[in-house]
Amino acid sequence: MDDEQRPPLALDEALPVVEGKGHSAERTAPPAVAPEMSGGPQPIPAPPGELTPSAPPDEVGTPAAPITQGPEVRRLQRRRLNPALLEGPDVIVIRRSTLYGGIFIAVVFFLLGLLVGRYVLPAGGSAGAETGSLIEALGVSADEPAWGPADARIVIIEYSDFQCPYCRMFMENTHARLRQMYSDQVRFIYRDFPLDSIHPRARPAAEAAQCAHEQGKFWEYHDLLFANQQALETSDLKRYAQQLGLNMDQFNTCVDTRKYQASVEADVQAGLRQNVTGTPTFFINGQALVGAQPLEAFQAVIAQLTRAGD
């Protein structure tokens, strides 16, 4: 049959209907759809694979002229969703503005978390709580001879003997430099560990040093004892206190009554619990360092602990 004599196609043959989840269905008459907005008829979705929509008929049985493809039509086609794809209880539609807003809020909260963790917590109670738990775990009391800030993140405990030559070596070669470098970062605590079997005068010297500590002169007295290891008789111990200008009545009574005998023994027992067998022995945040170690050994451990705490 010639093209001029071919009868016009009926509406149900010319326009396929899309239903389900985007697949083409049988050619049946489309349901009447109310226009989404006033001002003119709306286009009917094209079958899959077709890019150019056809205009809806002005009247039933009278096909409308096809809409000319152009930038506005393509923009509308990209933005308009196929209603058939929005059917079903498992379909969730997220607007682009909502998605971008959610991402922005998540980034803001992430950055706030970094700022709080980096600046607020270390400056507030977190660092103090961490130091407090460390001091508590090490069994350190506030009245022990010590230097450095009480809330330092690095705590060094020394077990020493006033007659020990290696303890004197540490005092002369390392202790002063360690204090000079870390006096504002490290809490250094001195504990007595007299080796009675080989150093019989170490325990009386330790008790006398505690009497000097009672008057706020421990470290000065400490240095005098190490400088005079061969002269640690009771008369010598009292003479050193006089050189430092201590209250001699108070000091002599303290030494004669052995006021700090129990305190020295408590240090010894604490060392035994930490498996101390010789002097000097150090614990840096609980990590053992044995012997008259040079300054570099302390620096290495302190640097390692500082990096781990950052």
Side-chain angles (χ1 to χ4, degrees):
M1 184 183 294
D2 295 336
D3 293 340
E4 293 83 357
Q5 299 177 359
R6 182 179 299 170
L9 296 175
L11 179 61
D12 57 351
E13 295 180 359
L15 298 176
V17 178
V18 179
E19 62 180 19
K21 296 185 177 180
H23 298 285
S24 298
E26 295 181 357
R27 297 174 181 243
T28 56
V33 179
E36 295 181 356
M37 55 185 178
S38 60
Q42 302 300 313
I44 297 175
E50 296 182 12
L51 299 179
T52 305
S54 299
D58 296 333
E59 294 179 358
V60 176
T62 305
I67 298 177
T68 304
Q69 180 73 2
E72 296 299 328
V73 174
R74 287 196 296 270
R75 187 179 300 112
L76 178 63
Q77 193 174 33
R78 284 197 301 268
R79 293 182 180 178
R80 187 175 302 281
L81 294 176
N82 191 333
L85 299 178
L86 303 180
E87 297 176 359
D90 297 330
V91 177
I92 300 176
V93 179
I94 301 178
R95 293 182 179 275
R96 184 178 302 176
S97 59
T98 305
L99 177 62
Y100 291 164
I103 294 175
F104 175 78
I105 293 174
V107 171
V108 169
F109 275 96
F110 175 76
L111 295 176
L112 287 176
L114 290 180
L115 291 175
V116 170
R118 178 66 179 87
Y119 297 103
V120 177
L121 292 181
S126 177
E130 179 182 351
T131 302
S133 61
L134 174 62
I135 292 292
E136 183 179 353
L138 297 175
V140 176
S141 63
D143 59 349
E144 294 188 77
W147 54 260
D151 60 347
R153 298 173 62 182
I154 305 295
V155 178
I156 301 177
I157 299 177
E158 177 190 10
Y159 286 93
S160 187
D161 176 311
F162 283 112
Q163 277 191 289
C164 167
Y166 297 103
C167 298
R168 176 178 177 173
M169 186 183 301
F170 165 77
M171 188 275 295
E172 293 177 343
N173 299 332
T174 306
H175 179 261
R177 296 167 62 197
L178 188 67
R179 184 170 184 175
Q180 182 180 8
M181 293 184 61
Y182 296 104
S183 60
D184 59 343
Q185 305 174 46
V186 169
R187 182 71 169 176
F188 187 97
I189 298 163
Y190 182 94
R191 285 182 178 175
D192 294 298
F193 198 83
L195 304 175
D196 298 317
S197 60
I198 56 177
H199 300 147
R201 296 303 302 171
R203 189 177 290 263
E207 294 176 10
Q210 294 296 326
C211 292
H213 178 50
E214 184 180 80
Q215 298 189 43
K217 293 287 187 178
F218 174 81
W219 293 109
E220 295 84 349
Y221 196 84
H222 161 280
D223 293 348
L224 278 175
L225 293 180
F226 277 121
N228 299 276
Q229 283 187 325
Q230 306 305 318
L232 297 178
E233 298 298 326
T234 302
S235 59
D236 299 318
L237 299 177
K238 293 181 178 180
R239 178 164 52 88
Y240 303 144
Q242 191 170 15
Q243 291 179 14
L244 293 175
L246 300 183
N247 183 319
M248 292 309 298
D249 291 338
Q250 179 182 345
F251 184 85
N252 291 340
T253 301
C254 181
V255 170
D256 294 340
T257 60
R258 302 190 66 183
K259 180 177 180 179
Y260 290 99
Q261 178 182 10
S263 176
V264 172
E265 181 60 25
D267 283 356
V268 173
Q269 296 303 317
L272 292 175
R273 287 192 297 270
Q274 291 186 274
N275 299 318
V276 176
T277 58
T279 55
T281 295
F282 306 89
F283 290 94
I284 308 178
N285 282 18
Q287 181 174 331
L289 190 64
V290 181
Q293 298 288 340
L295 177 65
E296 291 75 16
F298 289 89
Q299 288 177 311
V301 178
I302 292 172
Q304 177 186 2
L305 292 173
T306 301
R307 287 193 299 268
D310 290 341

